[in-house]
Amino acid sequence: MNSATALLPAANTLSVPAPRHSPTSSTAALTSQHAYRTHRQTKPSAQHARPGAQPPRTGLLAPLPPLSARMHKLLVLGDQEAAYATGNLQRGGKNTAASDHAWAITRAVAADAVRAGWNCASFVQVMLDGPYKAGQHARTLQHRRGYDKAAAWLQRAWDGARQYVHSTDPLTTRQDFHAALAAFRSRIECTPWKGIAGKTDLRNLIARIEICSRAGSWDHTVSERDLAERMGCSRTTAHNSNQRLIDTKMLRQLDKGSPTEGARWMLISRLPSTTSHHWSTPKGPEAGGAMSGPDVRQPDAGADIDSRTAGQLMQLDAFAHHGLGGSGLAVLAALAERDGQSLTELQASASISRPTAYRQLGKLKGLGLIRHEGELYHLSPTALEGVGAATDDCADPVADWTEAAERLGTAGTAERRHRHHEAQRIHWRHEQVRLAERRRTTHRTPLPHPAVALPQYVRADGCAIDPATGEVIVGLHVASDGRWIWAAA
C-alpha cells in the first residue's frame, strides 16, 4: 500500500556505502552498461504494461526484490505526470522546485525499496550506477560534487524512508486500510477548517474518503465534475480546493486521466506536525530547508463534527453557497456529533466565527431544524431528515430539504449543475468523435498539393478558371506534370 513518501519523517544517519574507487567499481560500471542496453530494449514494455501488472526487471533490478508497479515506473521512467512536483522558494528567493522534485521522487522510491526489502547499498548502486530516470539528479550531483556527496544525499533519503516505514503500521490487508481510513476520518473531524475555503476543503476530503472506502486504497479515480457534484459545489471551486490540498501535501495527483476515465489521485494520510522535519530535507537539518517548518493545519481539541452526517447532507441544494453553505453544514454536523451545545462551544466545534454562528443558527431556527433551550442549542428530532419542528422561533417548520432549499432560494442548484456538467460531457464526446473522424479522413485521403491543378478548375484547352467568378485567368496554364504554371511574359 503506497503512501505519501515525499514528506517522510527522519531517522538517524547510517553508514555510507563504500566509495566508487573500491575494487568492485569496474564490475559496477560493466553492470551499469549492461543495464542501460537492456533498459533501452525493455523500456516500451514497461511504459505500456497493464495497470497493476508486475513490470519486467532487468539489469541492476533483476537480483533485487520487486518494487510495486507504480514505484517501478517512477524509478525507470521518472515522474511523467509531475505527481511529485511542487514549486518552492527558500529564504533569499532561491528557486528549489527542481531539487525538491528530485528529492520527493528519491524519497518515494526509497520508501518502497525499504518495504520491498532492499538494503541501502543496493539502493545507492541502483540510483547512481543504473540508467533510471529517478536517479538522474543523484548522478548529476555525483558528477558535480563527487561520489561521497551523492551517496550522502541518497543516504539521508534512505534514512528518512526507513524510519517512516518502521514507525508506521503496515497496511497488509483490507481491514488494515479501513482502520487507517477511520483514523484519518477521525483526525479531520477534530481539525479546525475555518472560512469558506476551509469548509470546501473539508467537503473535498469527506467526498474522497467515501471514494477511497469503496476503492479499498488511498489511490482513487475521480473527475473534477463528479467530485464537484459530490461536494455540492461548482467545478471551479472543486479545482481550487484540489490545488490547496495538493499545496498542503494532503493530496497528490498521480495522472491527468484518460478519454474514458477521470484523473487518478492519492489521498495522503499524514499527521499534523509542529516541528521541522530535520533529516527529511535534501540539505539535512539546515534551517530554512526546502521542506522545513509546519505547513499543515494544526489540530484543535475544540473542533469536533460528524463527517458522515456532513457527507450525506453536503450534496443537497439547501447547503449551496447562498443557502446554509459550509458553515451551516458544519453546525449541523457538530450538533449531530454532540447535541446540546452553547454558542461558544459551537464556535469551536464547528470552527466558525461568532457572527457566522449567530447567522446560521438564526437560519436553522427559522426552518425549525434547531431549538434554543436556555443557553444550549439542540437538533430537532428529525432535523437530519430535513423535517423541522414547531418552536417559539418557527411557527411553520419545513417538511423536507426541498422545501428548505426553496425558502433559502437555492432550489434546483444541484440539478442545474448536473445538467451543465452533462452538457459539457456530451459536447466533449462529440468533439472527440469529430476529431477522430477528421484524423481518419485525413489519413485515408491526403489533401492534394496546392500546386496541383484540380480538374474542375481547368478548361478543355488547359486554361485556368477563377473559382469565384468563372472567368479565365490569363497566363495561368497546366504543365505536363499536372501542376499550375505561369506563362512567360
Side-chain angles (χ1 to χ4, degrees):
M1 186 69 61
N2 293 323
S3 176
T5 56
L7 296 171
L8 305 178
N12 296 328
T13 307
L14 295 177
S15 59
V16 179
R20 295 188 59 137
H21 54 72
S22 60
T24 59
S25 60
S26 59
T27 305
L30 292 176
T31 307
S32 174
Q33 295 175 3
H34 173 70
Y36 179 77
R37 290 193 298 266
T38 310
H39 167 66
R40 291 293 297 269
Q41 296 173 0
T42 60
K43 183 176 179 179
S45 61
Q47 188 174 8
H48 300 287
R50 298 192 312 272
Q54 186 60 42
R57 294 181 295 113
T58 56
L60 296 175
L61 299 179
L64 298 175
L67 302 177
S68 65
R70 185 158 64 87
M71 288 297 108
H72 180 91
K73 180 180 178 182
L74 179 66
L75 171 64
V76 175
L77 304 179
D79 189 12
Q80 295 181 316
E81 301 292 341
Y84 296 85
T86 56
N88 187 39
L89 289 176
Q90 286 188 350
R91 287 186 293 183
K94 182 179 179 181
N95 191 338
T96 61
S99 61
D100 289 354
H101 190 197
W103 179 251
I105 295 174
T106 305
R107 290 292 297 270
V109 175
D112 203 65
V114 171
R115 296 189 185 96
W118 293 17
N119 55 40
C120 186
S122 299
F123 173 71
V124 172
Q125 183 184 22
V126 167
M127 299 298 282
L128 291 181
D129 293 343
Y132 313 112
K133 290 293 186 65
Q136 182 175 356
H137 185 83
R139 293 191 294 272
T140 302
L141 183 62
Q142 174 194 1
H143 176 72
R144 293 178 177 177
R145 305 185 63 184
Y147 173 80
D148 292 340
K149 290 291 185 181
W153 189 81
L154 292 171
Q155 182 76 55
R156 284 196 295 271
W158 179 267
D159 291 342
R162 189 186 63 167
Q163 177 66 17
Y164 173 80
V165 172
H166 292 169
S167 62
T168 55
D169 296 330
L171 302 180
T172 57
T173 64
R174 194 178 184 90
Q175 289 75 15
D176 292 339
F177 166 73
H178 284 287
L181 188 64
F184 179 69
R185 180 191 290 271
S186 178
R187 289 201 300 273
I188 70 168
E189 290 177 341
C190 299
T191 300
W193 302 89
K194 298 181 180 180
I196 296 177
K199 298 299 185 295
T200 305
D201 295 346
L202 175 62
R203 291 190 184 198
N204 194 335
L205 289 176
I206 291 175
R208 291 183 182 276
I209 286 176
E210 297 300 328
I211 298 173
C212 289
S213 178
R214 293 182 176 89
S217 170
W218 297 112
D219 297 358
H220 56 284
T221 302
V222 64
S223 66
E224 283 189 348
R225 293 186 181 91
D226 292 337
L227 181 65
E229 293 179 6
R230 290 173 180 266
M231 294 169 57
C233 63
S234 67
R235 181 190 176 186
T236 302
T237 302
H239 174 79
N240 294 337
S241 176
N242 288 337
Q243 293 303 313
R244 287 193 297 269
L245 293 177
I246 290 174
D247 293 340
T248 54
K249 309 296 191 302
M250 301 187 71
L251 184 67
R252 177 173 294 148
Q253 186 173 1
L254 301 179
D255 60 33
K256 300 183 182 300
S258 66
T260 57
E261 294 183 356
R264 289 181 62 246
W265 306 81
M266 182 173 70
L267 188 61
I268 301 177
S269 173
R270 57 176 301 204
L271 290 172
S273 174
T274 58
T275 59
S276 298
H277 305 288
H278 299 290
W279 282 98
S280 67
T281 65
K283 294 186 176 182
E286 180 178 346
M291 297 166 60
S292 63
D295 57 356
V296 295
R297 305 175 189 274
Q298 304 302 323
D300 185 1
D304 192 14
I305 64 171
D306 183 3
S307 62
R308 298 185 183 277
T309 298
Q312 295 173 358
L313 300 180
M314 64 185 183
Q315 306 177 23
L316 301 177
D317 292 342
F319 297 94
H321 177 60
H322 295 289
L324 295 174
S327 55
L329 178 67
V331 170
L332 286 179
L335 290 176
E337 179 66 23
R338 181 169 62 89
D339 198 13
Q341 299 186 44
S342 64
L343 179 65
T344 304
E345 292 172 337
L346 275 176
Q347 286 181 241
S349 60
S351 304
I352 56 178
S353 63
R354 194 174 188 85
T356 302
Y358 272 119
R359 184 172 64 254
Q360 295 298 339
L361 289 172
K363 291 181 181 180
L364 293 171
K365 287 191 297 183
L367 299 174
L369 301 176
I370 285 181
R371 66 181 189 276
H372 190 193
E373 297 179 356
E375 296 183 354
L376 302 181
Y377 293 89
H378 299 269
L379 287 177
S380 300
T382 54
L384 300 182
E385 287 77 25
V387 181
T391 61
D392 295 339
D393 299 314
C394 178
D396 183 20
V398 294
D400 51 28
W401 286 118
T402 302
E403 183 179 349
E406 292 176 353
R407 293 193 187 184
L408 295 169
T410 57
T413 302
E415 180 62 26
R416 289 193 296 271
R417 181 186 303 115
H418 178 74
R419 289 200 304 266
H420 178 63
H421 289 169
E422 191 61 30
Q424 290 180 335
R425 294 187 185 100
I426 294 174
H427 174 73
W428 184 86
R429 295 190 196 103
H430 289 170
E431 283 295 304
Q432 296 301 309
V433 172
R434 184 184 67 83
L435 293 176
E437 182 62 27
R438 180 178 178 180
R439 286 191 293 268
R440 286 194 298 268
T441 304
T442 304
H443 178 71
R444 292 174 183 175
T445 57
L447 296 176
H449 193 277
V452 175
L454 299 180
Q456 58 269 31
Y457 301 142
V458 182
R459 208 168 60 176
D461 57 358
C463 296
I465 303 176
D466 189 343
T469 62
E471 298 179 353
V472 175
I473 302 177
V474 180
L476 185 63
H477 302 277
V478 180
S480 59
D481 59 355
R483 300 197 174 194
W484 297 111
I485 184 173
W486 288 94

